[in-house]
Amino acid sequence: MNRLRALLGLQLPLIQAGMGGVAGIRLCTEVSRAGAGGTLALYKEPPDRIREAVREIAAATSRPFGVNIIPEVTSPELCRAQLDAALGELPDNGYVTTFGLPGADAARDVTRTGRPLVVQIGTPDDASAALRLGADVLVLQGTEAGGHLLGELPVAELLYAVRTRHPDAVIAVAGGVATG
Ligand SMILES: Cc1cc2nc3c(=O)[nH]c(=O)nc-3n(C[C@H](O)[C@H](O)[C@H](O)COP(=O)(O)O)c2cc1C
């Protein structure tokens, strides 16, 4: 079985992007029900709303889903408060995705619960840093991607560079992917 599917417990090797203001309860729930990785965007949401939202998704699907944090748009304190709220409600089969590198404390908050940590990065050096922080899955974002960019390499070049450095890493790619 594909290692991404096995690690996240998915039927399809696809993770929906957390998208602040776009990827809410309904999208996350339906993607998860369809067998891929539904993801709730936490963006700058306050902890109370996060608790309610995660609870609502968990009540609607028993399939795995995740929550997405963006460390660069939150203070370290809000980031950890968001994680604390989400992890308190997230089922055991849930996971956490980050846009960019999480702080060491935030990464530890996730990994010590035993839930997978999925880190999206855009450079080979950040891929290595993410693995040192305990990332279970790397999402490599190429310059084809919509939204804010994390690096300067097209996805094929980034994949080649990271796969060469880290032959055993579990890797997904992001950016203009429209077909199998
Ligand atoms: C409207 C929009 C909002 C986004 N917001 C987030 C976000 O909140 N968190 C995150 O991890 N990634 C976010 N992303 C980036 C995606 O994770 C991913 O890198 C990108 O969508 C891949 O490019 P593609 O949509 O062309 O496949 C966003 C992307 C878009 C298009």
Side-chain angles (χ1 to χ4, degrees), residues 53-130:
V54 174
R55 218 177 285 146
E56 194 173 326
I57 300 166
T61 178
S62 57
R63 293 223 168 119
F65 68 93
V67 295
N68 170 258
I69 57 168
I70 315 182
E72 74 178 45
V73 302
T74 58
S75 64
E77 293 74 30
L78 176 58
C79 182
R80 293 190 73 193
Q82 288 182 321
L83 274 178
D84 192 46
L87 290 168
E89 301 294 338
L90 198 63
D92 287 344
N93 62 1
Y95 52 88
V96 174
T97 74
T98 74
F99 186 78
L101 293 172
D105 288 344
R108 215 172 302 120
D109 288 345
V110 179
T111 54
R112 74 174 169 214
T113 70
R115 294 187 179 89
L117 175 63
V118 179
V119 178
Q120 182 167 198
I121 46 78
T123 69
D125 282 350
D126 280 356
S128 302

Side-chain angles (χ1 to χ4, degrees), residues 15 21 53 91 95 102-103 116 138 156 161 163 165 167-168 175 177-178 180:
I15 310 171
Y95 52 88
L138 299 174
R163 181 52 88 207
R165 268 195 204 187
D168 297 327
V177 180

Side-chain angles (χ1 to χ4, degrees), residues 1 9 43 49 51 96-97 100 109 123 133 144 157 165:
M1 183 196 263
Y43 189 53
R49 288 247 292 275
R51 266 186 218 99
V96 174
T97 74
D109 288 345
T123 69
L133 285 167
E144 299 88 343
E157 285 179 42
R165 268 195 204 187

